[in-house]
Amino acid sequence: MTSAAPDAPAATACPATSDLVHAARREPVGRTPVWFMRQAGRSLPEYRAVREGIPMLESCRRPDLVTEITLQPVRRHGVDAAIFFSDIVVPLAAVGVDLDIVPGTGPVVARPFRTRADLDRLPELTPDHVPDITEAVRLLVAELGETPLIGFSGAPFTLASYLVEGGPSRNHEHTKSLMHGDPQLWNDLCERLAQISGMFLRVQASAGASVVQLFDSWVGALPVSDYVRFVQPHSAVALAAVADLGVPRIHFGVGTGELLPAMGAAGAEVVGVDFRVSLTDAVARLGPAYAVQGNLDPALLFAPWDVIEARVREIVAEGIAAPGHIFNLGHGVLPEVDPDVLTRITALVHEISVR
Ligand code: 1CP
């Protein structure tokens, strides 16, 4: 494996021939680029093998493991991008928040954030908190060559939800109660989270990630009026943290049909579309200034191949008519999926989308 000195410049800051980068910029592509959210993970036997006995958070902090796990789906499926193997709570743990990623559950925070005093437990993130992330990105960029690496972070709302609820939540009741009951504290918490989120993106993009994605997975729980007032300004700050680096930014959430234009306005070049809204409708809502990413229903991967194939063909056709399209699922790969289906979808998208 090639290694780079800590202060070496990024090997390929923006792979010039990448269809993914071109699609994100609404430039012509050779064929529709494709990758899958959660393409690294439990659907792959080689992932389960290298993770054996190593806790999730620990594996996110070991550059050798991060590199291997990030490369696995690229080797196997021939996708057009690698997504950095990490988790949205890694930067929170890095600044000292006491949390764990519990198998089968997700992030669990030891002491949920509810009061002003809790802000003291959330210092700003600096690159010195995450030297291993810089190292892993550099290793990966050297290995990946012309295949772009997507860096990511969690958006302030989704991070706040884990901190305030203490773990995964269906209704986000404590989060909404804080947002409306103490808007000043909510604002201060999200300001801090926007700094952490933006810096985590910046560390990855500075080390050589070609694209970044901001995951606001659970923001579809909000009406657009609350989104615009309580969330959008903070997501805009996180996205602005990499504006000068020239990397395209993807802004993704689930159940966000009503929020798409407001999410685009937060500063992204690409807006993620889940499976509930067609790409055609999403483009009509967003207008011509954005590329779109998505939007095969992850649950459809369990359907017979002819069903999947017909849906993939529809999505690719809608995407060709869009200003720019990156094929993906509407949300992450489910752990029980047969990974061969993902390989087959990748080949199909490439085959039917040649321009
Ligand atoms: O042991 C394991 O394999 C744990 C499962 C797992 C994995 C593989 C978790 C716990 N996180 C991850 C990796 C991960 N997390 C990636 C890797 C890169 C890839 O996509 O291949 C990414 C991008 C994330 C980001 C992430 N973590 C999000 C945003 C994306 C999304 O799915 O909406 C969220 C919401 C999390 C929190 C989280 N971490 C893990 C779980 C199971 C969850 C969700 C829990 C919940 O339902 O609230």
Side-chain angles (χ1 to χ4, degrees), residues 38-40 47 51 56 83 86-87 101 107 162 168 215 217 331:
R38 294 278 173 96
Q39 63 189 16
Y47 170 81
R51 278 285 321 282
M56 177 67 188
I83 172 108
S86 192
D87 194 85
I101 299 180
Y162 285 105
F215 281 97
S217 301
H331 198 188

Side-chain angles (χ1 to χ4, degrees), residues 206-343:
S206 302
S210 299
V211 176
V212 294
Q213 176 155 329
L214 189 69
F215 281 97
D216 211 350
S217 301
W218 312 137
V219 80
L222 296 179
V224 69
S225 54
D226 287 353
Y227 179 80
V228 168
R229 181 171 165 209
F230 293 113
V231 176
Q232 189 196 46
H234 303 294
S235 297
V237 168
L239 288 163
V242 290
D244 62 315
L245 298 178
V247 293
R249 297 162 296 179
I250 306 168
H251 196 176
F252 169 80
V254 180
T256 51
E258 299 299 324
L259 305 181
L260 291 174
M263 289 180 74
E269 284 70 37
V270 186
V271 179
V273 183
D274 83 355
F275 52 88
R276 293 167 183 84
V277 178
S278 73
L279 289 183
T280 306
D281 286 348
V283 169
R285 291 175 194 191
L286 282 160
Y290 301 94
V292 288
Q293 174 175 278
N295 73 342
L296 183 66
D297 183 348
L300 261 199
L301 300 184
F302 298 87
W305 173 252
D306 56 330
V307 174
I308 298 173
E309 176 174 349
R311 193 70 200 106
V312 169
R313 286 180 181 276
E314 284 169 15
I315 292 168
V316 168
E318 287 182 84
I320 287 173
H325 177 223
I326 299 165
F327 190 97
N328 205 315
L329 304 178
H331 198 188
V333 174
L334 296 164
E336 303 80 14
V337 158
D338 173 1
D340 290 346
V341 175
L342 298 173
T343 311

